[in-house]
Amino acid sequence: MPLSPTTVCTADVLVCLLLFLVDPPIHRYTPSAQVQKARQAFASGDKDILMVTERFYFFKRWKLPGANNFLFFGPPLHARFYPELINSVPSIHAHLSMCLFTDLDAPDLERVVGSDKAHHMFTSSRDTFLLQ
């Protein structure tokens, strides 16, 4: 997935730093002033990618204006986070959501898509799935 100027990544701090080598992600202990500055830079287009940890979202639940695309490095631990973030994009914008997962993510994926779909995803020969 090409990362557009409106991509939000939820990930572990270390994974974000190693994979993207950009500004550190916003996490639970990031000072509010720094969070506001990063959110404003992202919403205005000055910043192309805003990385947010799941822990930050769990405790703050702040809206992420300007986000149209989401890249999850593994299914969220709390299943409701996936639809909350995806549904936060106004329907007038085209958006994309991608979730990377491995066999180790089976319990988390099952919470997001359900037992039957998760079993199908892990036993299928395909490596890409479209969820509607």
Side-chain angles (χ1 to χ4, degrees):
M1 172 185 95
L3 296 177
S4 74
T6 55
T7 300
V8 172
C9 302
T10 61
D12 182 311
V13 174
L14 182 59
V15 172
C16 284
L17 292 174
L18 291 176
L19 292 178
F20 292 107
L21 298 173
V22 295
D23 295 338
I26 296 172
H27 55 85
R28 179 181 178 196
Y29 301 106
T30 304
S32 293
Q34 190 175 345
V35 171
Q36 276 302 112
K37 183 178 175 185
R39 287 177 68 215
Q40 287 172 351
F42 181 71
S44 68
D46 293 338
K47 202 172 187 182
D48 292 338
I49 298 172
L50 179 65
M51 291 178 283
V52 179
T53 64
E54 186 174 355
R55 189 168 174 90
F56 171 83
Y57 187 74
F58 178 85
F59 285 101
K60 304 291 185 175
R61 299 283 170 78
W62 286 12
K63 298 292 182 199
L64 303 169
N68 292 334
N69 301 309
F70 295 89
L71 175 60
F72 294 85
F73 289 92
L77 295 175
H78 298 278
R80 69 179 179 272
F81 291 174
Y82 193 85
E84 280 179 13
L85 287 166
I86 302 307
N87 292 330
S88 69
V89 176
S91 60
I92 59 172
H93 292 103
H95 61 277
L96 173 70
S97 169
M98 183 180 290
C99 181
L100 308 175
F101 63 90
T102 68
D103 292 343
L104 299 174
D105 295 315
D108 300 331
L109 185 65
E110 187 175 322
R111 284 191 289 273
V112 174
V113 300
S115 298
D116 293 338
K117 284 184 185 175
H119 177 72
H120 171 70
M121 292 168 83
F122 282 111
T123 57
S124 175
S125 60
R126 296 176 44 217
D127 60 359
T128 305
F129 304 93
L130 176 64
L131 301 176
Q132 297 178 343

